[in-house]
């Protein structure tokens, strides 16, 4: 799974990315610090079945900390987008193209309102951050529309000859954006289109459709960053225009992770507080900085960075975690590792879907599956449940 980190310049995108992944990135107070996309790995937390099953797990593709499984997700930090990026402004088409494979987007917004729509720094409260939500949606939707329009007439004429359905026609244009036919079909339910696809090339009509496709294929959560300096009312304004929002303080998260690595504090990402380690000598400036962080974390319930990633995965994308094994009695793979792999899959996925996720051959040669918790045999259409431990049986 890949989550794209998007937003205009100077909102703290690279700081958010660095805080989430601890990957080294260039962070500076000028536009287009990020040109090539940064890739890194963050983790989402879920309950590991090890305690329920009474075993000591030996994770392979993830981590387990006292019964909490840390499942990796890929984050992609792209350059800041500016208005009319879809027309190429600020190398916008390149930056948008970097998001093609993203399953979801985290829109990092400067909720303090201290950067204008172009990302130029200004006074706190000088800009309405709600505008940043609306402009970014428009950029992505216009980008999709232009992709559809490129050669669309020729595709439609060919489709009329063989009777292709609308979702098939549109999917041919959008398949490279990791958009599925089902997502397009769902989007079409919300936009009334003429029966003749040749009449679809109306810009406004296509833009309304692309807005619905974006909701399905590139859902967006707002990370309301720099919340510690946000004027009263700014958080509420952003919440009023975006369905899912999380208050974040990326600079605080990054500073705490660095402090923890230096042995100054005890901090677990996602916790609402931290503790200064006993016997640590701090100067007055460090103590004031840590107290400032502690006060704001108490106010907002933490830095929000970990919560934002987990809300994107578990609430917005509605993913669950499943554990494929080869021995349903010992819960091991063929190397003898216990509960080795944790996979994030969409809720509603089936046993066969999991087989394909593990390996194409397993999906093609699927016979049955075994629920290792209940020891019951289940079929290809068995709907996976969160925390399932599953053995796939396939032809050799």
């Amino acid at each position: 799974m890949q989550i794209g980190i998007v937003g205009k310049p100077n909102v703290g995108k690279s700081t958010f990315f660095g805080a989430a992944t601890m990957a080294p990135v260039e962070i500076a107070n000028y536009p287009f610090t990020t040109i090539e996309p940064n890739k890194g790995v963050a983790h989402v937390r879920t309950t590991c079945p090890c305690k329920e099953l009474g075993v000591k797990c030996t994770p392979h593709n993830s981590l387990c900390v006292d019964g909490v499984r840390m499942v990796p997700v890929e984050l992609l930090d792209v350059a800041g987008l500016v208005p009319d990026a879809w027309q190429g402004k600020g190398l916008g088409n390149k930056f948008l193209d970097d998001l093609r494979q993203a399953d979801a987007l985290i829109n990092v917004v400067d909720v303090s309102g201290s950067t204008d729509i172009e990302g130029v720094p200004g006074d706190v409260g000088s800009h309405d951050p709600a505008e940043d939500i609306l402009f970014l949606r428009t950029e992505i939707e216009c980008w999709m529309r232009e992709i559809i329009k490129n050669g669309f007439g020729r595709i439609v004429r060919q489709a009329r000859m063989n009777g292709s359905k609308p979702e098939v026609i549109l999917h041919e244009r959008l398949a490279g954006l990791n958009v599925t036919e089902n997502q397009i079909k769902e989007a079409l339910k919300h936009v009334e289109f003429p029966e003749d696809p040749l009449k679809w090339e109306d810009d406004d009509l296509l833009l309304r459709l692309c807005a619905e496709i974006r909701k399905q294929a590139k859902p967006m959560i707002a990370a309301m960053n720099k919340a510690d300096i946000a004027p009263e009312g700014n958080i509420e304004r952003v919440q009023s225009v975006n369905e899912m929002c999380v208050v974040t303080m990326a600079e605080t998260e990054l500073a705490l992770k660095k402090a923890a690595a230096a042995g100054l504090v005890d901090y677990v990402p996602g916790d609402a507080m931290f503790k200064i380690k006993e016997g640590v000598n701090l100067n007055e400036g460090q103590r004031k900085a840590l107290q400032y962080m502690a006060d704001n974390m108490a106010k907002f319930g933490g830095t929000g960075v970990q919560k934002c990633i987990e809300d994107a995965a578990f609430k917005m994308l509605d993913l669950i975690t499943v554990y494929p094994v080869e021995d349903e009695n010992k819960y091991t793979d063929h190397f003898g590792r216990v509960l080795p792999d944790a996979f994030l899959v969409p809720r509603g996925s089936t046993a066969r879907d999991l087989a394909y996720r593990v390996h194409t051959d397993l999906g093609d040669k699927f016979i049955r599956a075994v629920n290792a918790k209940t020891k019951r045999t289940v079929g290809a259409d068995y709907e996976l449940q969160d925390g399932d431990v599953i053995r796939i049986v396939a032809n050799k």
Side-chain angles (χ1 to χ4, degrees):
M1 183 189 71
Q2 186 182 87
I3 299 176
I5 311 297
V6 298
K8 68 185 186 185
N10 288 326
V11 295
K13 288 189 303 80
S14 292
T15 303
F16 184 101
F17 174 85
T21 65
M22 288 306 286
V25 293
E26 185 179 359
I27 299 170
N29 193 28
Y30 54 85
F32 311 122
T33 306
T34 304
I35 299 298
E36 295 302 322
N38 297 308
K39 291 184 178 181
V41 176
H43 294 84
V44 294
R45 300 167 297 173
T46 189
T47 301
C48 181
C50 60
K51 290 193 173 182
E52 176 189 351
L53 298 174
V55 297
K56 180 175 175 56
C57 62
T58 47
H60 174 237
N61 79 335
S62 48
L63 304 170
C64 183
V65 181
D66 193 27
V68 177
R69 187 62 74 107
M70 311 288 287
V71 187
V73 296
E74 184 180 29
L75 298 189
L76 182 71
D77 170 34
V78 303
L81 295 168
V82 295
D84 295 327
W86 66 276
Q87 293 181 311
K89 186 174 180 181
L91 300 178
N93 282 323
K94 176 191 182 305
F95 303 153
L96 286 164
D97 281 346
D98 290 336
L99 299 172
R100 284 177 173 266
Q101 295 306 307
D103 299 289
L105 304 175
I106 294 176
N107 183 3
V108 181
V109 175
D110 176 4
V111 78
S112 75
S114 59
T115 47
D116 69 13
I117 197 68
E118 300 272 353
V120 178
D123 295 332
V124 169
S126 60
H127 176 71
D128 182 357
E131 291 183 18
D132 301 342
I133 298 286
L134 303 176
F135 115 77
L136 198 77
R137 286 180 191 163
T138 300
E139 295 305 318
I140 292 171
E141 291 156 12
C142 286
W143 169 61
M144 286 184 169
R145 182 187 63 187
E146 296 309 299
I147 290 172
I148 291 175
K149 287 172 62 178
N150 184 20
F152 186 62
R154 173 183 54 81
I155 294 170
V156 167
R157 285 188 291 273
Q158 291 174 352
R160 289 182 79 189
M161 296 175 64
N162 57 30
S164 294
K165 294 181 178 180
E167 58 267 28
V168 175
I169 298 171
L170 292 163
H171 184 253
E172 184 171 340
R173 301 300 310 135
L174 296 176
L177 273 63
N178 200 25
V179 177
T180 68
E181 281 188 24
N182 283 339
Q183 289 169 336
I184 295 172
K185 192 173 182 179
E186 185 63 31
L188 284 166
K189 293 178 182 178
H190 302 278
V191 182
E192 187 173 345
F193 267 64
E195 289 188 13
D196 185 355
L198 281 175
K199 298 179 180 179
W200 288 9
E201 290 190 88
D202 177 83
D203 276 4
D204 291 338
L205 188 64
L206 281 176
L207 193 60
R208 292 202 299 275
L209 175 63
C210 287
E212 296 298 331
I213 294 174
R214 180 198 57 75
K215 292 177 187 177
Q216 296 290 327
K218 309 287 182 191
M220 189 183 301
I221 186 171
M224 301 184 294
N225 203 37
K226 306 183 185 180
D228 51 321
I229 58 171
E232 185 176 350
N234 273 22
I235 289 174
E236 290 75 16
R237 275 197 287 277
V238 173
Q239 289 172 329
S240 71
V241 296
N242 205 73
E243 184 176 351
M244 192 169 291
C245 303
V246 176
V247 168
T248 64
M249 297 177 290
E251 285 190 359
T252 296
E253 178 75 9
L254 185 59
L256 285 177
K257 283 189 172 179
K258 288 181 176 180
L264 301 179
V265 302
D266 288 318
Y267 174 62
V268 177
D271 281 1
M273 58 183 294
F274 64 90
K275 289 184 179 180
I276 298 173
K277 288 194 171 184
E278 292 185 12
V280 170
N281 291 319
L282 300 173
N283 60 41
E284 186 64 20
Q286 289 173 320
R287 289 192 178 278
K288 284 185 177 180
L290 288 172
Q291 187 59 55
Y292 176 82
M293 295 178 197
D295 291 344
N296 281 296
M297 288 175 71
K299 178 180 179 181
F300 295 115
T303 72
V305 172
Q306 185 68 31
K307 174 177 169 54
C308 190
I309 297 167
E310 290 176 351
D311 280 3
F314 296 131
K315 292 184 179 181
M316 191 164 69
L317 292 175
D318 199 17
L319 301 177
I320 62 172
T321 314
V322 293
Y323 301 80
V325 297
E326 292 190 30
D327 186 325
E328 69 269 31
N329 297 307
K330 296 181 179 179
Y331 315 113
T332 56
D333 63 8
H334 65 282
F335 294 110
R337 296 177 295 206
V338 180
L339 297 171
D341 297 321
F343 285 6
L344 294 170
V345 299
R347 191 179 301 278
S349 296
T350 64
R352 190 189 294 275
D353 292 332
L354 176 61
Y356 273 113
R357 176 72 183 276
V358 175
H359 198 282
T360 302
D361 284 348
L362 280 180
D364 290 341
K365 300 176 180 179
F366 182 96
I367 299 175
R368 63 183 181 276
V370 179
N371 184 324
K373 288 184 177 180
T374 64
K375 310 304 184 210
R376 292 180 179 176
T377 298
V378 297
D381 294 334
Y382 167 74
E383 186 172 316
L384 300 169
Q385 303 299 308
D386 192 27
D388 268 355
V389 181
I390 300 291
R391 177 194 172 198
I392 304 295
V393 181
N395 281 319
K396 299 294 185 181

